Amino acid sequence: MSLKTRNALVTGSTSGIGLAIARALAKEGANVCLNGFGDAAAIEAERAGLEKDFGVRAIYSGADMSKPAEIAAMVKEAEAKLGSVDILVNNAGIQFVSPVEDFPVEKWDQIIAINMSSVFHAVRAAVPGMKARKWGRIVNTASAHSLVASPFKSAYVTAKHGVAGFNKTMALELATFGITSNCISPGYVWTPLVEKQIPDTMKARNLSRDEVINNVLLTAQPTKQFVTVEQVAALALFLCSDAASQITGANISMDGGWTAA
Ligand code: NAD
């Protein structure tokens, strides 16, 4: 597969899953617009690295995905600098864990904005160009929590279920325009965020590394193994291929069996 003629925008791609997806798309030849927060020098090193490693054009937008006007401007900027947005990966997301009665109102609003409403704003801005070119790929990083719930994650579970519903609506609306819309729903993915929790949890609970992984982190995941960011990126890449042109409106689990239970 080659994506040499394609331009991709990946939200939340300065770290974790989004960065792996951006790298996988660039490796197949797509030009890429990175987005997300982080250390400016580290982001610039990633951007320049994509250009050097894969011979593609890579740009960066610092748009805040909780701000509709910044999202629309980011899509316009990517279209102006790269020529189009053919592939839109809606990936930016945050988490907050709290009993509902203590859940800070501003955290609820932030999670709904970043994890859910940003998907609407980005798709709304990118679809006219995709329709005009009669080709588009929308890939949403949803979650096992778009299909099932866990306690204390009310905003996250609500937002991800919202993304799953929006995804199906887009598949129907855009079906005759050569545009597909799909969700990838990972279980626990091995990201620096997860890895960093292990030593502290070992100390706090007096557990071994394996016990923390199996009995604390991966209680819900039957394989007792993390998904890797490369595995999520490989599925995203496949959904962008012509072989996947009839996959639309799907919500594809990659969760070690979590949602089979
Ligand atoms: P991460 O923290 O490594 O990456 C999140 C990215 O989103 C970063 O680039 C960050 O800068 C960006 N971001 C956060 N707030 C933003 C904002 N307001 N504007 C722009 N960018 C913003 O996390 P990750 O694990 O790679 O998660 C990526 C996506 O995958 C999220 O939507 C998350 O819900 C989903 N997901 C993660 C897991 C997991 O176990 N890690 C499982 C299922 C789903």
Side-chain angles (χ1 to χ4, degrees):
M1 174 186 36
S2 172
L3 294 175
K4 272 196 170 56
T5 59
R6 307 298 185 195
N7 299 311
L9 167 57
V10 186
T11 74
S13 49
T14 53
S15 152
I17 294 169
L19 181 57
I21 292 175
R23 289 190 69 80
L25 292 169
K27 196 174 177 197
E28 288 303 320
N31 299 314
V32 173
C33 178
L34 296 173
N35 159 259
F37 299 150
D39 174 66
I43 294 170
E44 173 51 23
E46 283 296 345
R47 189 205 62 75
L50 289 179
E51 293 196 332
K52 185 169 163 286
D53 294 348
F54 306 120
V56 299
R57 176 110 195 269
I59 61 172
Y60 165 70
S61 163
D64 182 338
M65 299 306 286
S66 68
K67 305 223 163 86
E70 291 190 24
I71 298 167
M74 173 180 66
V75 172
K76 278 221 161 1
E77 186 188 345
E79 287 177 335
K81 289 187 176 163
L82 301 178
S84 61
V85 173
D86 308 300
I87 296 167
L88 171 64
V89 182
N90 295 303
N91 172 80
I94 60 166
Q95 175 63 284
F96 193 83
V97 181
S98 163
V100 69
E101 64 273 29
D102 299 327
F103 213 98
V105 171
E106 57 282 7
K107 272 290 163 202
W108 170 277
D109 289 344
Q110 202 187 6
I111 290 177
I112 297 299
I114 296 169
N115 295 20
M116 187 181 80
S117 299
S118 73
V119 180
F120 159 73
H121 294 296
V123 167
R124 183 177 184 274
V127 152
M130 290 179 178
K131 275 188 172 177
R133 290 183 299 277
K134 296 213 168 301
W135 197 93
R137 291 287 185 272
I138 299 165
V139 179
N140 306 301
T141 312
S143 166
H145 283 123
S146 76
L147 297 160
V148 296
S150 297
F152 314 121
K153 296 184 177 177
S154 54
Y156 189 88
V157 171
T158 301
K160 294 294 186 181
H161 275 66
V163 169
F166 182 75
N167 176 60
K168 290 195 274 191
T169 312
M170 288 309 98
L172 299 182
E173 261 187 61
L174 304 172
T176 57
F177 293 93
I179 304 168
T180 68
S181 180
N182 292 290
C183 286
I184 298 176
S185 282
Y188 282 101
V189 185
W190 187 256
T191 62
L193 202 102
V194 171
E195 196 175 354
K196 277 185 207 142
Q197 296 171 24
I198 292 175
D200 284 346
T201 312
M202 284 168 67
K203 266 189 231 146
R205 297 183 179 229
N206 196 24
L207 294 174
S208 70
R209 184 182 164 84
D210 281 353
E211 284 168 334
V212 169
I213 289 174
N214 291 326
N215 305 340
V216 180
L217 294 174
L218 291 179
T219 41
Q221 208 142 295
T223 57
K224 302 298 176 202
Q225 288 178 15
F226 289 97
V227 178
T228 68
V229 294
E230 290 79 13
Q231 289 171 332
V232 180
L235 179 53
L237 203 58
F238 177 69
L239 290 172
C240 294
S241 70
D242 287 331
S245 67
Q246 293 305 314
I247 301 177
T248 192
N251 186 350
I252 303 174
S253 293
M254 188 181 273
D255 62 8
W258 176 347
T259 53

